[in-house]
Amino acid sequence: MSERAALGVVERLRALGHEAYFAGGCVRDRLLGRAASDVDVATSARPEEVRRAFKRTIPVGIQFGIVIVLHERDRVEVATFRVDGDYQDGRRPTSVQFTSAEEDARRRDFTVNGLFWDPLEDRVLDFVGGVDDITRGLIRAIGDPQARFDEDRLRILRAPRFAAALGFQLDPATAAAARARAGEVRVISPERIHAELVKMLDKPTRARGAALCRELGLFEAVLPEATLDPPRAERALASLPPDAPRELAWAALLHPAGPAASEAALRRLRASNQERELVTALVAALPAAQGLAERSLAEQKRLLRRPEWELVPELLRATELAGEGDLEPYRYLRLRQAAYAADHGPAGLRAAPLLRGGDLQGAGLAPGPHFSRLLAAAEEAQLLGRVRTREEALALALDLAPG
C-alpha cells in the first residue's frame, strides 16, 4: 500500500476530528531511512466511524477494530487504538477494548514496532522508548517480555527475525525470556511458523537469523532437522547470493539432514507442494553435482536438463564453501553448463526428445515395459550426438526392440 493513500486516509480522519497516525513497522523503517513495504494507520475512530468516513471499505477484522479502506486504487489497513483482553491460545485475544494511542502502543510486541508518526505535523509519538532502542540497535519487548510472549508465542520467533533483518542485538531480558520459552512456539500453527521462517530466509541476513534461532533453542523446538550441523548450514546460508530464492535458502539450511528429512520438515510445516518438492530435489542433487565429473556425457546432460539444476550450482558453491572450500566441482559444473548451453542442436540441453512413445506405436511396436528402455536408449544417443533426427532415433529403437 502506498504512503500517499495512507496519508489521504489520515487527512480524512483528522478532518472528521479523530486522531490518526502512521503506525508500527513503517515508522521504524522511516527512522532507519528504509522504504516501507506497508503503511498502516492507527486511529481513535471506531470501526463503524471509519466505515462511514469512506465509500469503500472491507471489515476484515472488525471484531479487533481493523478495517481495510480502499482509497486511491490502494488498500490501507486502518486499526482502532485498542487494548487486548485475555489470550487463551497463545495467538489472539478473546476480546478487545478500544482505547488511547498510548495504551495501544503498550500492547504491541517490540519497542521498535510501537511507534506512531504524525505525517501532518511530522512528529513521532513514542510511548515505549522505541526511538532510543532504534538508536541503540536493540530489539526489546514492550514492558514484560514474558507477558508479551504469553499473548502471542509467535513473537518468540519474530524477535530473532527482526534482530537479524535490522542488524540489531536482542535485549538480554527479551532473549532470556525467548530462550526459556522456545518450546512453547510449538503451540503455533505450522503455517504461521513456516511463514515466519520464510520471512527470515527471504532476507540477505538469513544466516544471522538462523544463528539466533539456534542460540535461542528455537530450531530444536520447531525445526530439529536444522540442528544436525548448524555451523555448516549457517555458513552455507551466508554464502548464498543476497537475492537467493527461498527454496535455495531452505536447501542450504536443511542440506546436512538430507533429502528425506528435508521433505519431512517442509511437509510438517505445511509448505506448498511446489516448494517442498523443489527443496527436496535440490538437496538430493548435491551428491550428483559434487561428482559430476565422474559421470558420462549423457548422464551429465540428463541431470542438467532437470529444472532444479538451474539452482544447483549456487547451492553447490554455498555448501562447498561451508565445508572445506573446494570449489572445483562448482567450477566444473559451471563449465559444463556453459558448454552444453552453447549447443542449440538436437543434442543441446533444451532440445526436446527426438522420440516419444507415440512414434514407437506408429512404427508398429506394441506398448509395454520395454518402451521406457527404448526411449531412454534413444535419448542417451541423442544427448551423445549419435542420432540427430527423429528417423535416426527411431531406427536405433527398432534395432533394440525385442523380437
Side-chain angles (χ1 to χ4, degrees):
M1 62 195 69
S2 70
E3 183 172 308
R4 175 180 172 179
L7 177 60
V9 170
V10 168
E11 290 173 334
R12 172 64 176 162
L13 292 172
R14 292 279 279 273
L16 293 173
H18 305 292
E19 287 183 86
Y21 311 111
F22 289 3
C26 67
V27 184
R28 175 201 69 220
D29 290 342
R30 185 181 189 85
L31 293 175
L32 288 169
R34 301 184 177 198
S37 57
D38 292 318
V39 181
D40 297 334
V41 171
T43 180
S44 61
R46 301 297 180 96
E48 60 273 16
E49 293 174 319
V50 174
R51 298 194 71 188
R52 285 198 299 268
F54 300 94
K55 292 181 179 179
R56 297 183 300 148
T57 63
I58 306 172
V60 292
I62 200 163
Q63 69 273 30
F64 301 111
I66 300 173
V67 175
I68 298 295
V69 173
L70 305 177
H71 186 69
E72 294 186 358
R73 299 182 181 180
D74 214 334
R75 299 160 63 96
V76 181
E77 182 176 299
V78 180
T80 303
F81 300 141
R82 73 173 197 258
V83 290
D84 298 332
D86 292 336
Y87 284 74
Q88 295 183 355
D89 60 358
R91 176 182 176 184
R92 59 170 71 86
T94 56
S95 63
V96 301
Q97 180 180 341
F98 300 130
T99 184
S100 66
E102 179 172 355
E103 288 188 303
D104 182 88
R106 296 191 183 282
R107 59 96 189 165
R108 294 174 181 254
D109 54 4
F110 306 107
T111 59
V112 298
N113 298 333
L115 301 169
F116 300 111
W117 181 59
D118 184 340
L120 304 187
E121 299 182 13
D122 190 18
R123 64 189 179 100
V124 174
L125 284 73
D126 181 5
F127 303 106
V128 295
V131 173
D132 284 345
D133 285 343
I134 287 174
T135 302
R136 294 189 294 166
L138 197 65
I139 297 297
R140 179 169 61 91
I142 294 173
D144 178 8
Q146 300 283 1
R148 297 292 78 76
F149 295 155
D150 272 342
E151 293 162 353
D152 187 348
R153 304 297 196 279
L154 194 65
R155 290 171 174 172
I156 302 170
L157 195 54
R158 295 183 81 201
R161 175 171 71 82
F162 279 126
L166 297 174
F168 285 11
Q169 299 298 315
L170 282 172
D171 162 65
T174 300
R179 188 176 296 109
R181 305 183 65 170
E184 297 178 24
V185 176
R186 295 190 190 98
V187 307
I188 298 298
S189 71
E191 292 85 354
R192 292 185 80 206
I193 293 172
H194 173 263
E196 198 65 27
L197 291 174
V198 163
K199 290 176 183 178
M200 179 187 77
L201 293 174
D202 276 347
K203 299 287 187 182
T205 54
R206 55 184 72 91
R208 182 162 183 263
L212 288 172
C213 286
R214 171 179 53 80
E215 292 167 10
L216 295 175
L218 287 163
F219 280 156
E220 290 181 7
V222 300
L223 195 63
E225 295 83 358
T227 65
L228 297 182
D229 191 349
R232 184 183 180 95
E234 290 159 21
R235 289 195 298 269
L237 285 171
S239 300
L240 291 177
D243 60 348
R246 69 183 56 169
E247 293 87 357
L248 192 52
W250 274 119
L253 176 64
L254 294 172
H255 83 275
S262 300
E263 197 276 341
L266 291 172
R267 185 179 295 276
R268 188 180 64 251
L269 291 175
R270 308 288 194 273
S272 69
N273 290 340
Q274 181 179 357
E275 182 178 82
R276 187 182 74 249
E277 290 167 3
L278 178 52
V279 172
T280 304
L282 285 170
V283 176
L286 272 178
Q290 291 162 341
L292 190 68
E294 301 167 7
R295 294 175 177 263
S296 70
L297 175 63
E299 288 179 312
Q300 290 183 12
K301 286 188 173 182
R302 190 174 288 113
L303 288 171
L304 293 175
R305 289 174 76 160
R306 296 180 61 84
E308 68 268 17
W309 280 71
E310 291 290 334
L311 296 176
V312 167
E314 287 299 343
L315 179 62
L316 178 62
R317 176 182 177 276
T319 55
E320 290 297 308
L321 288 173
E324 298 178 359
D326 179 9
L327 289 180
E328 189 56 36
Y330 168 74
R331 296 190 188 99
Y332 182 84
L333 171 54
R334 282 300 195 193
L335 285 172
R336 291 298 86 199
Q337 277 186 318
Y340 299 150
D343 185 351
H344 298 292
L349 290 181
R350 297 291 172 256
L354 292 171
L355 201 63
R356 300 188 182 277
D359 299 314
L360 297 179
Q361 286 183 269
L365 294 182
H370 58 288
F371 264 36
S372 60
R373 178 177 61 84
L374 297 178
L375 293 173
E379 182 188 31
E380 180 165 351
Q382 176 185 344
L383 292 172
L384 292 172
R386 294 173 182 165
V387 299
R388 304 188 68 83
T389 67
R390 174 184 169 279
E391 290 71 22
E392 290 175 348
L394 182 58
L396 172 68
L398 291 175
D399 285 344
L400 298 174

